Amino acid sequence: MTYEHILITRQGPVGIITLNRPEALNALNHALTSELSAAAGVLDDDGEIAAIIVTGSDRAFAAGADIKEIKDKSFAEVYEEQFITATWEGIARLRKPTIAAVSGHAIGGGCELALMCDIIIASETARFSLPETTIGIIPGAGGTQRLTRLVGKAVAMDMILSGRVLTAEEAVPMGLISRVAPAGTHLVEAIALANHIAVSSRPIVRLAKEAVNKAYETHLQEGLYVERRLLYSTFALDDRREGMNAFAEKRRPQFHNR
């Protein structure tokens, strides 16, 4: 497939999607989010790809939804076309590990897009904000839900009601992001992490991702039940046997992703 607003590259087992609307600071219009969702699905189905990175430019990961595109829409229009749900949520539904490599502005929908990924690695120049209330709307791509689950009610309220901007350094102890990288190295670090994940058994990584997401989505007892069932299911995999045998024999495992 060819894309107008994103770039797709592959580095071994790592698929990289780069948002590419530099003239609009990667503002997320319908065309871009449709391409992003489609490309992410292709990489998720690609047997050669073990992890997926979403990134932008050094100046901006993504400067939110494209306001020029949506400012004149009516309730009926956004409801009928399932604005956001129809295209944006594709990243959140991927089975493979996803990493957001963020530099510069991650504003509104850009912040929410990063939150849809499993891990966020941010340049020290990254800035995160959800300023939707300042222009008469509210976050609608998971910001009120995912952010609150990560940083707690007080910080989420502060960011969403006041438009507070978090630096990368502030975001780490709050649990919003995983790591801060020196300026210009965030993508390099994300690729290194993706390659490290790619060494492990892919079905087992998917099971682990499913278990963590269940903790994020449900109460403790239900999460423990799911975790236990997923653990038991690893005993049906050749890779589980290989991993344990390799540990016992003090050698590096040779996984075959089955």
Side-chain angles (χ1 to χ4, degrees):
M1 296 180 65
T2 58
Y3 302 101
E4 182 180 356
H5 300 299
I6 62 173
L7 303 172
I8 306 296
T9 54
R10 290 172 168 82
Q11 292 195 21
V14 180
I16 304 169
I17 304 173
T18 303
L19 310 182
N20 189 37
R21 289 189 74 205
E23 75 288 352
L25 294 180
N26 294 329
L28 301 165
N29 63 6
H30 181 77
L32 188 154
T33 57
S34 296
E35 290 182 0
L36 174 61
S37 184
V42 169
L43 292 174
D44 205 39
D45 292 336
D46 188 332
E48 300 300 315
I49 297 298
I52 300 167
I53 295 172
V54 180
T55 192
S57 66
D58 286 343
R59 185 180 178 193
F61 177 71
D66 192 329
I67 302 303
K68 292 179 181 178
E69 183 181 68
I70 65 174
K71 67 182 181 64
D72 296 322
K73 288 184 179 291
S74 67
F75 166 80
E77 287 174 317
V78 295
Y79 184 79
E80 181 63 27
E81 69 188 29
Q82 298 184 76
F83 171 59
I84 292 179
T85 305
T87 57
W88 291 52
E89 289 289 329
I91 292 294
R93 291 193 290 264
L94 299 180
R95 298 181 70 200
K96 291 177 180 174
T98 54
I99 302 170
V102 178
S103 179
H105 302 291
I107 302 171
C111 181
E112 292 173 297
L113 175 60
L115 291 173
M116 291 179 193
C117 296
D118 300 319
I119 301 168
I120 302 175
I121 292 180
S123 164
E124 60 191 6
T125 67
R127 298 293 182 268
F128 299 86
S129 63
L130 291 172
E132 284 88 345
T133 59
T134 66
I135 60 168
I137 57 172
I138 69 170
T144 64
Q145 304 303 303
R146 292 189 176 98
L147 181 69
T148 304
R149 284 164 169 77
L150 288 173
V151 303
K153 178 182 175 181
V155 175
M157 284 289 193
D158 191 355
M159 291 180 67
I160 292 167
L161 302 187
S162 75
R164 175 184 176 183
V165 179
L166 287 187
T167 67
E169 291 291 347
E170 290 173 318
V172 170
M174 293 180 181
L176 176 61
I177 67 176
S178 175
R179 309 180 190 183
V180 179
T185 68
H186 60 292
L187 182 55
V188 173
E189 188 157 337
I191 292 170
L193 174 58
N195 277 306
H196 186 75
I197 293 170
V199 172
S200 296
S201 165
R202 295 178 192 176
I204 288 175
V205 166
R206 285 197 298 269
L207 290 170
K209 172 175 173 171
E210 184 178 343
V212 173
N213 279 335
K214 186 58 66 175
Y216 185 72
E217 296 163 359
T218 192
H219 58 77
L220 177 60
Q221 288 304 315
E222 175 65 18
L224 290 171
Y225 174 80
V226 171
E227 177 190 70
R228 198 165 300 118
R229 292 298 176 185
L230 292 173
L231 166 67
Y232 294 165
S233 71
T234 65
F235 282 77
L237 295 172
D238 292 342
D239 283 347
R240 191 279 311 168
R241 186 177 297 104
E242 166 61 13
M244 288 188 168
N245 286 338
F247 179 82
E249 296 163 9
K250 296 182 172 56
R251 60 175 175 82
R252 189 182 297 264
Q254 299 296 318
F255 294 122
H256 298 288
N257 302 315
R258 58 175 185 265

